[in-house]
Amino acid sequence: MKVYLDQDASLDALKDKKIAILGYGSQGHAHAQNLKESGMDVTVAELPGSDAWKSAEEAGMNVKTADEAAEESNVIMVLLPDQLQKKVYDSSIEKNLNEGDTLVFAHGFNIHYKQIVPPSNVNVMMVAPKSPGHLVRRTFVDGKGVPCLIAIENDFSGNTK
């Protein structure tokens, strides 16, 4: 185990990437807004006409369907409830993964239990904040952060972390 601090991290690896945040719920809104305010190119994926879609639009986010967001993104962060992830992966993510893309989860259930089995030519990792989304967002706005766990399941590119 290693503890990383702010000085160990950089957003440089994400600067030229298109990031899709699938789900604008508790964690999704925090990740999307924090990344956008950090200068990243972020698209939120939600169900058209849903309250979450409207909320994301009201927050100034670029909002698309999961299929559209996955197709145009290099980094896809899946922040949907565990029980919905496989369905969305099968219908919208898998066909849009390209060699070297990065698939990110905030919970390892579907990867660990092989409900989702990504191809070997993509990076697969977990970034799991140890706080609810509203606290992730609030501490970011205050110029701070919360502890997170990271895990690398597949390091195709050699620089997933």
Side-chain angles (χ1 to χ4, degrees):
M1 180 175 76
K2 178 165 174 54
V3 175
Y4 296 96
L5 303 173
D6 285 351
Q7 62 266 25
D8 300 315
S10 171
L11 290 172
D12 290 345
L14 295 175
K15 284 187 177 171
D16 296 325
K17 305 288 185 187
K18 291 185 160 285
I19 303 167
I21 303 293
L22 278 61
Y24 199 71
S26 174
Q27 288 292 329
H29 86 278
H31 288 261
Q33 290 177 17
N34 293 357
L35 285 164
K36 182 181 178 191
E37 290 175 16
S38 295
M40 301 300 109
D41 184 356
V42 178
T43 298
V44 168
E46 262 303 339
L47 293 172
S50 68
D51 289 344
W53 180 295
K54 293 172 192 161
S55 179
E57 282 184 328
E58 289 168 3
M61 303 304 299
N62 178 27
V63 189
K64 297 186 176 185
T65 65
D67 207 22
E68 294 166 330
E71 181 179 20
E72 69 181 31
S73 297
N74 316 96
V75 177
I76 302 167
M77 183 146 196
V78 182
L79 294 169
L80 302 165
D82 286 335
Q83 67 271 22
L84 299 178
Q85 289 181 10
K86 180 173 174 33
K87 179 180 177 185
V88 174
Y89 178 83
D90 290 348
S91 68
S92 299
I93 299 171
E94 185 175 35
K95 67 184 176 189
N96 288 307
L97 286 172
N98 296 305
E99 183 173 303
D101 282 353
T102 300
L103 190 57
V104 188
F105 295 85
H107 187 273
F109 179 89
N110 280 298
I111 295 297
H112 180 77
Y113 290 104
K114 307 215 180 301
Q115 300 301 300
I116 294 174
V117 180
S120 62
N121 66 348
V122 300
N123 304 307
V124 181
M125 69 181 300
M126 180 185 75
V127 177
K130 301 319 302 167
S131 297
H134 69 277
L135 187 57
V136 171
R137 179 69 181 141
R138 187 174 76 225
T139 57
F140 176 85
V141 169
D142 290 343
K144 300 174 184 165
V146 301
C148 294
L149 300 175
I150 64 168
I152 309 301
E153 175 70 15
N154 190 47
D155 188 19
F156 174 77
S157 69
N159 66 355
T160 303
K161 184 177 66 163

